[in-house]
Amino acid sequence: MRNDEDMARERQEMVAELELYGIRDARVLDAFRTVRRHLFVEEESRPLAYSDSAMPIGLGQTISQPYTVAYMTSLLVERRPSGKVLEIGTGSGYQAAILDALGYEVFTIERIAGLYEMAGRVLDALELPVQRRLGDGTLGWPEEAPFDGIIVTAAAPHAPRTLMSQLADGGVLVVPLGDLASQQMTVIRRRGEEFEREIFHSFAFVPLCGREGWENNNE
Ligand code: SAM
């Protein structure tokens, strides 16, 4: 049976692995040292909570691989290190907790009620001030816009226009864009009414459903 000390040691090893894979931002690495990933995975997955892998969290969804979370978070932090951030796809709540540890004001939307509730229980138990909503995240959170950053943690067929319109001037949208098999991590930065794009490595995410996501997954 692992105790807190074992988990802390495994967490340090995970961070060392992230550094080895090229995650350099000290703020991001510190957040990964702080947030206890084992609290965000299912009981039976806990022994592997600090391995660099995605894991099932129930209802057909996954908690992303730590490297992927660190990669997306670095793209955001390097361009917009503070302010309001909206996450689409709460899932386990882990990415939201990482954003909170970085000092962002965090908003997150999940479309599956069971996950929305599960993540809510963990975030509440940790007393993290993350604001949560159940619904279609492709429509954003208009009452709280504009956002300094928006992170989409599911695969999108194209950049959701509504999310782009909810960016602050200079704000960044980090979103994996592509087909259902593979997506390229994309950063879209707002400059007034113009949007600049940068394209990065390939990843494989579960689909972003909803009005501005994959049509065949609409509810
Ligand atoms: N960020 C999560 C974490 O830290 O555990 C992992 C996210 S998981 C890879 C993708 C999540 O996006 C799933 O929980 C899925 O239900 C959610 N999702 C897909 N389409 C969505 C939408 N339109 N609005 C909100 N959430 C959505």
Side-chain angles (χ1 to χ4, degrees):
M1 186 80 173
R2 285 173 165 74
N3 59 29
D4 283 353
E5 250 175 55
D6 296 328
M7 293 291 194
R9 196 192 56 253
E10 288 176 20
R11 199 156 52 247
Q12 297 306 321
E13 288 167 6
M14 176 188 76
V15 172
E17 211 178 341
L18 292 176
E19 278 188 277
L20 206 64
Y21 293 159
I23 303 298
R24 297 268 178 264
D25 194 290
R27 296 162 291 188
V28 173
L29 293 168
D30 271 349
F32 277 79
R33 273 187 201 101
T34 312
V35 179
R36 291 170 290 168
R37 190 172 188 253
H38 66 272
L39 301 180
F40 295 86
V41 301
E42 294 177 317
E43 193 72 42
E44 57 272 26
S45 300
R46 284 198 174 169
L48 292 175
Y50 295 105
S51 65
D52 189 30
S53 49
M55 288 177 192
I57 51 173
L59 302 163
Q61 302 300 323
T62 53
I63 178 173
S64 302
Q65 185 183 352
Y67 174 74
T68 306
V69 179
Y71 190 94
M72 294 183 85
T73 307
S74 300
L75 291 174
L76 171 68
V77 168
E78 286 159 7
R79 290 163 182 76
R80 200 78 168 189
S82 62
K84 280 170 100 165
V85 171
L86 173 64
E87 178 199 21
I88 310 304
T90 313
S92 67
Y94 181 65
Q95 168 79 79
I98 291 283
L99 293 168
D100 173 77
L102 282 156
Y104 290 107
E105 187 184 354
V106 185
F107 299 80
T108 183
I109 307 177
E110 173 56 55
R111 65 183 277 277
I112 299 178
L115 294 178
Y116 165 80
E117 282 156 19
M118 232 159 58
R121 279 195 290 276
V122 180
L123 294 167
D124 284 347
L126 293 171
E127 298 183 356
L128 302 186
V130 171
Q131 300 199 47
R132 305 185 305 274
R133 176 178 267 191
L134 175 65
D136 178 2
T138 68
L139 305 179
W141 197 320
E143 305 86 341
E144 291 295 343
F147 295 98
D148 297 281
I150 301 179
I151 286 195
V152 180
T153 65
H158 53 77
R161 303 292 312 174
T162 304
L163 294 182
M164 288 165 68
S165 75
Q166 292 182 15
L167 283 175
D169 196 12
V172 292
L173 168 63
V174 183
V175 55
L177 295 182
D179 57 29
L180 290 170
S182 163
Q183 309 86 36
Q184 285 188 294
M185 195 57 72
T186 306
V187 171
I188 299 176
R189 186 159 204 171
R190 183 172 198 162
R191 302 268 186 212
E193 288 317 303
E194 304 287 311
F195 294 88
E196 293 167 2
R197 274 186 194 223
E198 294 173 271
I199 294 172
F200 298 89
H201 294 158
S202 293
F203 291 85
F205 280 83
V206 294
L208 178 72
C209 307
R211 186 154 343 146
E212 294 188 40
W214 286 96
E215 234 178 296
N216 59 355
N217 282 308
N218 278 356
E219 293 179 319

